[in-house]
């Protein structure tokens, strides 16, 4: 079983909906990430939180809004998404240094925007 | 800029045989880590093995080993005694010492194990 838990596993939403993806880890990691992955492609980094502060935003559109309420939780708020935003959204956590610390991923949320 | 290259889009291997998945990297960082992940069709990214740039020995984890050739900037994954459950997409990735938290992924290799 993965130590990073993501909910929901699947989500279908219309372009006018507001929804949230949730991620939780209890490994004591102080870095948390959101990645977006299209089929047959590598994950693409969206956001990095380090010590509960947003440290990287990879020029992600504002219809995606991350939130890190505490060191164990990471949310991704979704609003007015487009069909091309349909993808697998992966949450991950790690120690802050990644030259010697692997990212631990959750099972992902498969998002479909209709 | 850092770059990870996986030149094999797809690979086939017979069950119980060994297979090597290629990965080359390009970095000027003196300290870096190399990682391999497995992604089955279910979607979960599973961490397999890690190699540090200063490690003297090749990493091994069960049936997985890493053929690390620093001068050639390659970090190939070797899977011994392939099993049907090894069929998945495999990603090579590199972390860096800049504390940005970024992980650079290669394009991936799809491995199919034949019975």
């Amino acid at each position: 079983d993965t130590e990073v838990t993501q909910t929901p596993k699947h989500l279908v939403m219309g372009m006018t909906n507001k929804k949230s993806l949730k991620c939780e880890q209890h490994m004591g990691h102080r870095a948390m990430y959101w990645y977006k992955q299209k089929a047959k492609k590598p994950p693409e980094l969206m956001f990095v939180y380090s010590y509960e502060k947003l440290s990287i935003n990879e020029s992600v559109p504002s219809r995606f809004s991350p939130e890190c309420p505490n060191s164990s939780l990471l949310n991704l708020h979704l609003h007015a998404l487009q069909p091309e935003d349909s993808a697998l959204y992966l949450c991950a956590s790690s120690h802050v240094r990644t030259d010697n610390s692997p990212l631990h991923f959750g099972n992902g949320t498969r998002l479909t925007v209709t | 800029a850092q770059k990870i290259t996986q030149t094999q889009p797809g690979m086939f291997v017979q069950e119980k045989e060994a297979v090597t998945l290629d990965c080359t990297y390009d970095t000027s960082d003196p300290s870096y880590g190399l990682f391999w992940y497995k992604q089955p069709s279910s979607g979960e990214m599973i961490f397999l093995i890690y190699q540090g740039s200063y490690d003297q020995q090749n990493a091994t984890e069960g049936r997985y080993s890493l053929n690390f050739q620093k001068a050639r900037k390659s970090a190939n994954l070797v899977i011994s005694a392939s099993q049907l459950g090894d069929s998945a997409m495999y990603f090579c990735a590199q972390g860096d010492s800049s504390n940005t938290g970024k992980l650079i992924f290669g394009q991936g290799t799809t491995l199919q194990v034949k019975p």
Side-chain angles (χ1 to χ4, degrees), chain B:
Chain B
Q2 295 170 329
K3 185 178 179 181
I4 297 285
T5 302
Q6 294 180 253
T7 58
Q8 306 152 315
M11 290 280 287
F12 289 91
V13 64
Q14 204 68 35
E15 193 178 10
K16 299 181 184 177
E17 292 185 351
V19 63
T20 297
L21 306 183
D22 294 342
C23 173
T24 58
Y25 59 94
D26 185 11
T27 182
S28 56
D29 287 337
S31 176
Y32 52 89
L34 296 158
F35 308 88
W36 277 92
Y37 286 86
K38 171 185 177 182
Q39 189 174 40
S41 57
S42 58
E44 182 187 0
M45 290 282 283
I46 303 167
F47 166 65
L48 296 178
I49 194 166
Y50 159 80
Q51 180 82 46
S53 58
Y54 292 118
D55 292 344
Q56 295 297 312
Q57 293 188 328
N58 288 342
T60 61
E61 288 287 346
R63 294 188 298 111
Y64 305 109
S65 61
L66 211 152
N67 183 2
F68 180 48
Q69 298 187 46
K70 193 172 182 177
R72 299 180 61 182
K73 294 190 175 180
S74 73
N76 299 337
L77 177 70
V78 180
I79 305 174
S80 62
S82 297
Q83 301 172 357
L84 296 178
D86 294 334
S87 294
M89 193 151 190
Y90 289 80
F91 290 100
C92 180
Q94 181 189 340
D96 62 44
S97 58
S98 62
N99 280 344
T100 63
K102 293 184 77 166
L103 200 64
I104 310 300
F105 284 91
Q107 290 298 307
T109 295
T110 301
L111 176 67
Q112 293 191 41
V113 180
K114 293 183 173 180

Side-chain angles (χ1 to χ4, degrees), chain A residues 51-71:
Chain A
Y51 299 108
E52 295 86 68
K53 294 190 187 308
L54 184 65
S55 59
I56 294 179
N57 175 342
E58 293 285 275
S59 302
V60 178
S62 60
R63 57 185 184 268
F64 295 91
S65 175
E67 178 195 20
C68 190
N70 59 54
S71 59

Side-chain angles (χ1 to χ4, degrees), chain A residues 1 46 49 74 89 94 102 108:
Chain A
D1 289 337
M46 300 175 71
Y49 273 83
L74 184 67
Y89 287 84
S94 76

Side-chain angles (χ1 to χ4, degrees), chain A residues 2-3 7 16 21-22 26 33 37 43 58 61 66 71 74 76 79 93-94 101 103 109:
Chain A
T2 182
E3 296 175 85
T7 56
T16 59
L21 309 185
K22 296 186 182 301
H26 294 288
Y33 312 78
Q37 187 181 23
E58 293 285 275
S71 59
L74 184 67
L76 186 63
H79 173 55
S93 70
S94 76
S101 172
L103 270 64
T109 294

Side-chain angles (χ1 to χ4, degrees), chain A residues 8-13 19-21 78 87 109-113:
Chain A
K9 293 190 188 315
H10 301 273
L11 178 62
V12 179
M13 61 184 292
K19 296 286 185 184
S20 297
L21 309 185
L78 315 173
T109 294
R110 289 194 186 274
L111 174 67
T112 303
V113 181

